[in-house]
């Protein structure tokens, strides 16, 4: 163990700020007179809001605990050993703050080897070992349990996953090697690849049991007691754990092939983590959990993959993106002091169309205050309220809310044609009407006559000037941009826009409401199209220009695949809607005619009432021949490399100009917006780390967007 200890001690020196997890050992007399069990509890000394992690110092503590347990087992003082966690948390894996600090490949390799060597000691104990997954378990937290002989899980576990591929890593402490040999390659690929690449989808306790990762499941109230009783029965031989036989033939190969198809569909070969994980899974096909030595080749491959990925730009970008959504999103830069926020006890929604109805549902569910919709006639109002009530019934049908909650939420959402009666006592009114400046100015003028002096007036505009919208009011200081992204219930981003006269109290109220809505808020200057729509419109505009000039649509679509975007540009156009895309491009063309064009072809698509460039034929998506007949193309055909370069250079230029204008505080806010509002991939870190890494930022703007060590490997001292 001296070599492992030296490795981890060196790692601890590199990471002096680690929150160290202690491994407490206590001894319990098992039920049924089964003997004495050594129970190791992982605990970092904080409550569940600061989850337990594994850094080098934590691994040293676990290793020291295993020294004691190993000696006790050798002396016959215990009949078994088990690992569990503090209340609500088992362990959530490696401490990413430490990973960020690593500067050398050798140090990254040491972290992988150190974790393996400690976890392997659990499997090598001369007594049966158990993992009691009592709470959230992720990454290394899952893997430490995989090294045990048996596992139980609480039915109350809310989150269980191997999220490494999502971040740009592989499960590197046994996950890629042990899990497929425990539950089969197909199920393992689902957990390691498919779930991870599906926005880090989490398993619940029931899923963990049904997949065969855990051998037994118990209710949270008496989870430890039941787990100890179950362990006692296993140790006495009263209960024999039977697991499904693993198919190591074609099914294993098919699972790996399926994983590659999933990875190709998500990142198109542009990010290495998923492929490295699949290579390891393929290589451990003939391993045997009963023969610990046969697992070593897989562990060695995990070490190598982990070290290579830790020293990659993709991984640093993944950690950067993770930190943005976990930390920066919780403390919006530039938000006024929250003490200035006014209470909101009633919300008004102007409009009763689909967007307005989605907003009404969100406000009612999150704020649990009365929400009133208005529109120009009773039929529209009834339709909007009916939509909200129907969505609440769907939640009830899925078991996500109970009958009492459903009745209460329905009672909160009403409609009215009388704005004075509806909004007279409202504290926050948002408009979601047609995207036309004159219409919105009229709406706000009408509202000002009926709302209280302190009521905040919010606009869900996607591109129009908040300042101009408020300019004809007696109190423009109460108007704030509150731009949601569709679908409202899914995309987290909320661009909060400060008009030139918006006051701190109104802005603080907007941020407070956003927090209650559980949205990710980013403060934006009142600039055309704000952040996401401005960047996407520049990107899509360049793509549209390239198509109009003569490059085939299929070639353009293929050219941008390396970005690993959630959908192709042409599919995004269909999702947004050609009419909206055209409107935003016209708005931005009016503001910046030298950079934003208005495509005649797109105008023709809108005029023809088409939803996009594609249609469905015999269950397959193909280019719509009726749309193609409408369009005219030039004869300039670019290569795929030229297409991607031109589109990204346009984006890099636009982001540089936005930062110079102060649209947001920093490049980090651009990335936070693109990740949470446009689904831009985690493995890119949003957009600016990718532009930096590919050399595009410097080529276009003469400098990188981010400082060295931010979303990149730190320079060596």
């Amino acid at each position: 163990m001296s070599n492992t200890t030296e490795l981890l001690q060196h790692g601890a020196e590199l990471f002096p700020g680690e929150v160290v997890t202690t491994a407490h050992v206590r001894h319990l007399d098992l039920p049924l007179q089964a003997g004495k069990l050594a129970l190791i509890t992982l605990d970092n000394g904080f409550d569940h809001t600061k989850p337990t992690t594994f850094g080098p110092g934590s691994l040293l503590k676990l290793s020291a605990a295993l020294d004691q347990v190993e000696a006790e087992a050798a002396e016959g003082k215990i009949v078994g050993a088990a690992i569990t966690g503090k209340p609500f948390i088992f362990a959530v894996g490696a401490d990413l703050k430490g990973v960020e600090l690593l500067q050398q490949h050798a140090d990254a390799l040491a972290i992988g080897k150190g974790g393996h060597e400690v976890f392997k000691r659990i499997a090598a104990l001369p007594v049966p070992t158990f993992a009691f997954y009592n709470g959230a378990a992720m990454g290394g937290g899952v893997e430490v349990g995989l090294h045990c002989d048996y596992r139980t899980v609480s039915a109350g576990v809310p989150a269980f996953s191997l999220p490494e591929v999502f971040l740009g890593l592989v499960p590197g402490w046994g996950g890629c090697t042990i899990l497929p040999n425990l539950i089969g390659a197909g199920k393992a690929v689902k957990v390691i690849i498919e779930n991870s690449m599906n926005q880090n989808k989490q398993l619940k306790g029931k899923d963990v049991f049904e997949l065969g990762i855990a051998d037994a499941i118990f209710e949270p109230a008496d989870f430890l007691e039941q787990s100890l009783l179950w362990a006692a029965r296993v140790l006495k031989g009263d209960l024999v754990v039977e697991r499904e036989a693993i198919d190591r033939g074609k099914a294993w190969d098919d699972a790996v092939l399926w994983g590659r198809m999933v990875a190709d569909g998500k990142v198109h070969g542009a990010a290495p983590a998923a492929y490295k994980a699949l290579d390891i899974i393929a290589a451990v096909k003939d391993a045997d959990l009963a023969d610990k030595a046969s697992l070593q080749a897989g562990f060695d491959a995990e070490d190598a993959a982990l070290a290579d990925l830790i020293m990659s730009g993709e991984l640093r970008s993944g950690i950067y993106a993770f930190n943005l959504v976990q930390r920066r999103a919780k403390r919006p830069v530039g938000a006024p002091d929250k003490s200035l926020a006014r209470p909101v006890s009633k919300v008004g929604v102007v409009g009763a169309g689909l967007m307005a109805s989605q907003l009404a549902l969100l406000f009612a569910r999150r704020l649990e205050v009365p929400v009133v919709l208005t529109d120009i006639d009773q039929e529209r109002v009834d339709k909007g309220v009916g939509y909200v009530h129907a969505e609440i019934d769907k939640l009830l049908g899925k078991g996500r809310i109970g009958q009492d909650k459903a009745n209460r939420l329905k009672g909160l959402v009403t409609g009215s044609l009388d704005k004075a009666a509806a909004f007279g006592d409202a504290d926050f009114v948002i408009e979601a009407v047609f995207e036309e400046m004159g219409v919105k100015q009229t709406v706000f003028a009408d509202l000002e006559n009926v709302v209280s002096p302190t009521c905040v007036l919010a606009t869900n505009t996607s591109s129009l000037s908040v300042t101009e919208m408020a300019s004809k009011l007696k109190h423009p200081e109460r108007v704030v941009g509150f731009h949601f992204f569709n679908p409202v219930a899914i995309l987290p981003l909320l661009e909060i826009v400060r008009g030139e006269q918006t006051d701190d109290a109104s802005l603080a109220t907007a941020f407070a409401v956003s927090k209650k809505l559980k949205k990710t808020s980013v403060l934006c200057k009142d600039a055309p199209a704000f952040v996401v729509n401005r960047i996407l419109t520049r990107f899509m505009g360049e793509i549209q220009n390239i198509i109009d000039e003569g490059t085939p649509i299929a070639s353009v679509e293929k050219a941008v695949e390396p970005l690993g975007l959630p959908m192709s540009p042409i599919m995004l156009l269909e999702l947004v809607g050609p009419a909206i895309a055209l409107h935003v491009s016209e708005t931005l063309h009016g503001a910046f005619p030298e950079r934003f064009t208005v495509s005649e072809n797109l105008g023709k698509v809108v005029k023809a009432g088409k939803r996009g460039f594609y249609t469905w034929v015999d269950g397959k998506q193909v280019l719509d021949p009726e749309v193609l007949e409408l369009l005219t193309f030039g004869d300039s055909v670019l290569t795929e490399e030229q297409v991607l370069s031109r589109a990204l250079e346009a984006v890099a230029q636009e982001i540089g100009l936005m930062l110079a204008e102060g649209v947001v505080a920093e490049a980090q806010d651009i990335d936070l917006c693109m990740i949470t509002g446009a689904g831009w991939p985690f493995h890119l870190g949003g957009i600016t780390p990718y532009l930096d890494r590919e050399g595009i930022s410097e080529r276009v703007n003469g400098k990188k967007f981010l400082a060295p060590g931010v979303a990149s490997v730190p320079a060596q001292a």
Side-chain angles (χ1 to χ4, degrees), residues 238-514:
D238 297 341
L239 184 129
V240 177
V241 174
E242 295 183 0
R243 298 184 180 126
E244 289 185 16
I246 304 300
D247 187 335
R248 300 182 185 280
K250 185 173 181 294
W252 192 290
D253 299 332
D254 288 347
V256 173
L257 182 62
W258 167 249
R260 295 192 192 284
M261 291 172 61
V262 170
D264 286 343
K266 292 290 186 178
V267 298
H268 307 283
Y275 302 98
K276 284 183 178 288
L278 289 163
D279 287 344
I280 298 169
I281 293 171
V284 299
K285 178 179 177 181
D286 297 320
D288 182 356
L289 292 183
D291 177 11
K292 303 302 182 188
S294 73
L295 303 175
Q296 189 57 49
F299 295 161
D300 291 342
E302 289 176 354
D303 288 340
L306 204 60
D308 289 346
L309 290 167
I310 285 174
M311 300 311 292
S312 71
E314 287 84 1
L315 182 272
R316 303 305 170 117
S317 294
I319 295 176
Y320 164 81
F322 181 81
N323 288 337
L324 288 180
V325 300
Q326 293 295 319
R327 297 178 198 165
R328 193 177 184 92
K330 292 178 173 61
R331 293 182 290 276
V333 176
D337 191 298
K338 61 184 179 182
S339 66
L340 298 173
R342 304 187 188 105
V344 173
S345 57
K346 183 178 180 181
V347 172
V349 181
V350 182
L354 179 59
M355 189 66 175
S357 300
Q358 289 184 68
L359 294 180
L361 175 64
L362 181 68
F363 277 100
R365 287 193 67 197
R366 299 295 187 215
L367 271 61
E368 296 194 16
V369 299
V371 179
V372 185
L373 296 98
T374 66
D375 213 310
I376 57 175
D377 58 51
Q378 192 64 46
E379 183 180 353
R380 285 182 171 87
V381 170
D382 291 343
K383 185 177 179 181
V385 173
Y387 169 88
V388 176
H389 287 188
E391 290 299 306
I392 293 169
D393 284 336
K394 287 180 186 177
L395 294 171
L396 174 63
K398 293 176 181 177
R400 294 176 62 183
I401 58 174
Q403 186 66 60
D404 289 347
K405 181 74 172 285
N407 293 341
R408 192 162 66 252
L409 289 176
K410 284 184 182 180
L412 290 173
V413 181
T414 58
S416 174
L417 291 177
D418 186 341
K419 289 186 175 64
F423 300 149
D425 57 347
D427 306 299
F428 191 98
V429 178
I430 184 168
E431 67 77 21
V433 300
F434 185 67
E435 192 77 346
E436 201 278 318
M437 181 61 73
V439 173
K440 291 181 184 287
Q441 286 180 328
T442 299
V443 165
F444 276 165
D446 291 344
L447 286 174
E448 192 170 45
N449 292 326
V450 298
V451 298
S452 71
T454 57
C455 180
V456 172
L457 301 181
T459 170
N460 185 44
T461 182
S462 60
S463 61
L464 300 177
S465 169
V466 175
T467 301
E468 184 180 350
M469 209 176 293
S471 61
K472 298 181 180 180
L473 299 179
K474 300 185 190 74
H475 297 287
E477 69 277 1
R478 67 165 72 186
V479 178
V480 62
F482 216 58
H483 179 217
F484 290 87
F485 289 78
N486 209 0
V488 169
I490 296 173
L491 289 176
L493 181 63
L494 183 53
E495 291 178 340
I496 297 183
V497 185
R498 182 169 205 157
E500 289 179 10
Q501 292 183 280
T502 306
D503 63 21
D504 283 351
S506 299
L507 196 62
T509 304
F511 274 100
V513 169
S514 175

Side-chain angles (χ1 to χ4, degrees), residues 594-616:
E594 70 284 3
R595 299 194 310 280
F596 288 86
T597 57
V598 178
S599 167
E600 290 185 10
N601 278 339
L602 183 58
K604 293 174 184 176
V605 171
V606 173
K607 188 175 181 180
K610 291 289 186 177
R611 282 290 306 162
F613 286 77
Y614 287 107
T615 189
W616 291 89

Side-chain angles (χ1 to χ4, degrees), residues 12-343:
E13 291 170 3
L14 296 173
F15 185 20
E18 177 186 355
V19 176
V20 175
T21 295
T22 299
H24 301 283
V25 181
R26 57 182 171 135
H27 300 90
L28 303 173
D29 290 317
L30 287 167
L32 309 178
Q33 296 182 325
K36 197 173 289 290
L37 179 90
L39 180 65
I40 300 172
T41 302
L42 305 170
D43 191 345
N44 61 4
F46 293 88
D47 66 15
H48 66 279
T49 60
K50 198 174 187 71
T52 302
T53 55
F54 290 120
S58 304
L59 291 171
L60 280 170
K61 292 287 188 182
L62 178 56
S63 187
L66 290 171
D67 286 340
Q68 177 185 339
V69 173
E70 191 176 69
E72 292 169 348
E75 295 169 13
K77 293 180 178 179
I78 57 173
V79 296
I83 299 177
T84 194
K86 67 184 183 183
F88 309 110
I89 303 289
F90 184 79
V92 297
D95 193 323
L96 294 178
K97 295 192 209 67
V99 173
E100 289 178 84
L101 300 174
L102 295 174
Q103 298 175 308
Q104 298 181 4
H105 190 276
D107 293 333
L109 188 62
I111 292 297
K113 285 185 177 296
H116 266 132
E117 292 304 317
V118 174
F119 288 3
K120 278 161 54 180
R121 295 187 66 197
I122 300 168
L125 287 171
V127 292
T129 53
F130 302 82
F132 300 152
Y133 289 122
N134 65 301
M138 300 175 199
V142 169
E143 290 170 301
V144 71
L146 294 179
H147 284 266
C148 296
D149 298 315
Y150 306 99
R151 286 155 294 279
T152 67
V153 67
S154 168
V157 166
F160 185 105
S161 65
L162 289 171
E164 286 85 352
V165 166
F166 178 67
L167 295 170
L169 283 171
V170 298
W173 284 341
C176 290
T177 300
I178 298 175
L179 191 63
N181 282 288
L182 176 68
I183 63 174
K187 293 177 182 177
V189 166
K190 179 180 179 62
V191 175
I192 294 171
I193 305 297
E194 194 172 354
N195 286 1
S196 187
M197 300 189 87
N198 186 20
Q199 294 299 306
N200 192 21
K201 181 181 178 182
Q202 299 293 317
L203 300 171
K204 307 292 187 186
K206 182 170 177 281
D207 305 317
V208 176
F209 173 64
E210 290 178 349
L211 283 167
I213 300 172
D215 302 302
I217 184 169
F218 303 111
E219 290 302 315
D222 58 351
F223 172 71
L224 182 58
E225 292 84 350
Q226 290 300 319
S227 292
L228 291 170
L229 177 59
W230 184 86
R233 294 178 63 207
V234 170
L235 288 167
K236 285 179 66 69
D238 297 341
L239 184 129
V240 177
V241 174
E242 295 183 0
R243 298 184 180 126
E244 289 185 16
I246 304 300
D247 187 335
R248 300 182 185 280
K250 185 173 181 294
W252 192 290
D253 299 332
D254 288 347
V256 173
L257 182 62
W258 167 249
R260 295 192 192 284
M261 291 172 61
V262 170
D264 286 343
K266 292 290 186 178
V267 298
H268 307 283
Y275 302 98
K276 284 183 178 288
L278 289 163
D279 287 344
I280 298 169
I281 293 171
V284 299
K285 178 179 177 181
D286 297 320
D288 182 356
L289 292 183
D291 177 11
K292 303 302 182 188
S294 73
L295 303 175
Q296 189 57 49
F299 295 161
D300 291 342
E302 289 176 354
D303 288 340
L306 204 60
D308 289 346
L309 290 167
I310 285 174
M311 300 311 292
S312 71
E314 287 84 1
L315 182 272
R316 303 305 170 117
S317 294
I319 295 176
Y320 164 81
F322 181 81
N323 288 337
L324 288 180
V325 300
Q326 293 295 319
R327 297 178 198 165
R328 193 177 184 92
K330 292 178 173 61
R331 293 182 290 276
V333 176
D337 191 298
K338 61 184 179 182
S339 66
L340 298 173
R342 304 187 188 105

